[in-house]
């Protein structure tokens, strides 16, 4: 794929919802915003990570906040552009490329909007290979790349710059600002050189989103998604209960599924913080972060986000391996179960 056109966005959104592991924001919202920007400014050039020059200035952009809020308080094209232009002005550098902070939902498509607005190419990569709830949970953190200076902006035109002592403080302070802004804000952070991007990011993300989206559209098959992601099916069942609340800028909660077919008689508990963190069957953990846990509609293969979980839905829960760097000691410390308060070692999917 050499460029992203309006015709590509449906597949990218569909695939991004899968890699988003339940979070990353509603892909439908991102698709609408990206489609409008591409309609206005034209297709967005897509550049392979390996082709980004050493001296490039790469700027990831994203929405930060609770996905449940973004369903009702939609981000605007203006605030995305404002965050990116504010950081560019502060850095005093000419931007050369836009990138995705995470592969998930709205945040795989917000960068399309920014790239179209700014007339810049988009890097076919992201900082995680999936979605995570906190800003510092990206592979560039493992390579010593700073989240700040970071710009943030809301839909009213309020904006700010943060310069923090480390990436955990960047998350803490921008989350507080986002709560005051209504639990969602646009951010531009982790500005990096092309050499840093090639070393620290996950290549081929947007191409994979498009491939997964096309696969679901054409086959409506959960099994096809599992095969492509080299994953496994954990459980099939009906949603019997969802407890969801917005706390400290996150959508936190649990969902319970009652087993169907070969899983009849069993119960699966999903624990999430924006994204699915733990899948537990009858008290036994089947999968956990940092690997991917995804909820897919049994009949269509379409991803169901955590804010979209509803009583009576019939879902298949799958797990897939994350980028192997997440299973390093540093990666597990940054985004493993214990970071989220679960006293277990990661339960992974063999790569």
């Amino acid at each position: 794929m050499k460029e992203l056109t309006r015709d590509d966005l449906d597949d990218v959104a569909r695939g991004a919802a899968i890699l988003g592991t339940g979070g990353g924001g509603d892909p439908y919202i991102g698709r609408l915003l990206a489609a409008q920007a591409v309609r206005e400014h034209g297709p967005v050039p897509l550049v392979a990570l390996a082709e980004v020059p050493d001296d490039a200035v790469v700027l990831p952009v994203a929405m930060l906040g609770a996905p449940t809020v973004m369903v009702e308080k939609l981000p605007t094209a203006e605030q995305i552009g404002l965050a990116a232009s504010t950081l560019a002005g502060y850095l005093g550098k000419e931007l050369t490329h836009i990138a995705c902070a995470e592969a998930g939902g709205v945040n795989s498509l917000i960068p399309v909007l920014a790239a179209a607005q700014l007339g810049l190419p988009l890097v076919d990569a992201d900082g995680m290979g999936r979605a995570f709830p906190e800003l510092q949970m990206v592979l560039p953190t493992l390579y010593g790349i700073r989240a700040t200076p970071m710009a943030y902006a809301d839909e009213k035109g309020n904006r700010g710059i943060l310069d923090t002592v480390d990436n955990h403080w960047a998350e803490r302070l921008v989350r507080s600002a986002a709560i005051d802004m209504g639990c969602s804000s646009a951010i531009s952070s982790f500005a990096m050189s092309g050499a840093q991007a090639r070393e620290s990011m996950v290549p081929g993300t947007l191409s994979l989103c498009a491939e997964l989206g096309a696969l679901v559209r054409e086959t409506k098959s959960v099994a096809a998604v599992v095969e492509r992601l080299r994953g496994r099916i954990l459980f099939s069942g009906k949603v019997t209960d969802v407890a969801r609340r917005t706390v400290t800028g996150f959508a936190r909660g649990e969902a319970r599924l009652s087993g169907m077919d070969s899983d009849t008689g069993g119960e699966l508990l999903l624990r999430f913080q924006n994204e699915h963190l733990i899948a537990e069957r009858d008290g036994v953990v089947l999968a956990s972060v940092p690997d991917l846990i995804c909820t897919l509609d049994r009949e269509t293969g379409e991803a169901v986000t955590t804010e979209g979980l509803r009583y009576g839905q019939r879902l298949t829960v799958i797990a897939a391996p994350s980028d192997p760097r997440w299973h390093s000691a540093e990666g597990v410390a940054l985004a493993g179960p214990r970071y989220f308060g679960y006293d277990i070692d990661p339960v992974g999917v063999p790569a």
Side-chain angles (χ1 to χ4, degrees):
M1 188 187 304
K2 298 295 184 182
E3 62 181 14
L4 285 173
T5 68
R6 287 179 61 194
D7 292 340
D8 300 316
L9 297 179
D10 280 348
D11 284 342
V12 172
R14 192 175 285 112
I18 296 171
L19 295 184
T21 64
D26 190 332
Y28 177 72
I29 295 169
R31 183 182 64 78
L32 290 179
L33 291 169
Q36 174 61 33
V38 171
R39 183 163 52 247
E40 183 177 348
H41 301 286
V44 171
L46 194 63
V47 178
L49 185 61
E51 296 174 0
V52 178
D54 283 356
D55 59 353
V57 179
V58 180
L59 180 61
V61 296
M63 291 299 299
L64 178 140
T68 44
V69 170
M70 279 183 264
V71 171
E72 297 183 3
K73 189 171 84 76
L74 303 182
T76 68
E78 290 74 21
Q79 76 180 109
I80 308 301
L82 182 60
S85 61
T86 297
L87 183 56
Y90 182 84
L91 294 173
K93 295 181 178 180
E94 183 177 350
L95 302 180
T96 63
H97 296 74
I98 297 294
C100 298
E102 64 181 357
V106 70
N107 278 335
S108 288
L109 292 152
I110 288 297
V112 177
L113 185 158
Q117 281 186 332
L118 298 173
L120 295 174
L122 180 60
V123 181
D124 189 5
D126 84 296
M128 305 180 195
R130 50 159 299 153
F132 276 123
E134 296 187 8
L135 174 131
Q136 79 279 8
M137 294 175 177
V138 292
L139 292 170
T141 294
L142 302 184
Y143 290 84
I145 298 171
R146 296 186 62 206
T148 63
M150 170 174 49
Y152 59 95
D154 69 8
E155 76 285 356
K156 304 174 189 67
N158 297 310
R159 58 179 175 164
I161 291 282
L162 283 175
D163 196 352
T164 60
V165 295
D166 61 30
N167 292 357
H168 284 83
W169 270 104
E171 156 65 29
R172 182 172 176 177
L173 294 179
V174 78
R175 188 73 55 177
S176 296
I179 290 170
D180 287 337
M181 288 175 163
C183 283
S184 74
S185 65
I187 60 168
S188 294
S189 62
F190 286 98
M192 65 187 85
S193 69
Q196 289 174 314
R198 290 203 310 276
E199 179 182 41
S200 66
M201 299 191 81
V202 180
T205 299
L206 290 169
S207 293
L208 176 58
C209 287
E211 183 182 348
L212 286 171
L215 193 63
V216 170
R217 172 171 50 80
E218 293 167 0
T219 69
K220 303 186 185 306
S221 167
V222 171
V225 174
V226 172
E227 181 179 2
R228 176 61 185 86
L229 293 178
R230 305 185 314 281
R232 60 189 174 94
I233 292 175
L234 299 179
F235 194 84
S236 287
K238 183 177 75 171
V239 178
T240 57
D241 187 47
V242 181
R244 183 173 43 232
R245 60 205 180 277
T246 301
V247 182
T248 61
F250 298 103
R252 301 175 187 264
E254 299 176 349
R256 295 181 183 274
L257 284 75
S258 178
M260 300 172 63
D261 299 335
S262 62
D263 293 310
T264 297
E267 182 180 77
L268 188 78
L269 176 64
L270 292 170
R271 304 181 189 270
F272 56 83
Q273 178 181 323
N274 290 8
E275 288 76 34
H276 295 300
L277 306 176
I278 303 284
E280 182 180 317
R281 176 173 179 162
D282 302 326
V284 177
V285 175
L286 301 182
S288 75
V289 285
D291 280 353
L292 288 69
I293 301 169
C294 314
T295 45
L296 307 181
D297 184 281
R298 277 168 52 97
E299 302 301 322
T300 67
E302 298 275 356
V304 177
T305 60
T306 53
E307 71 267 21
L309 289 169
R310 299 288 185 272
Y311 176 83
Q313 287 171 327
R314 287 163 168 77
L315 306 177
T316 298
V317 181
I318 72 169
S322 59
D323 186 287
R325 289 171 287 184
W326 283 119
H327 286 279
S328 67
E330 297 80 8
V332 170
L334 187 61
R338 285 191 171 85
Y339 180 88
F340 295 101
Y342 301 103
D343 191 20
I344 60 170
D345 291 328
V347 178
V349 180

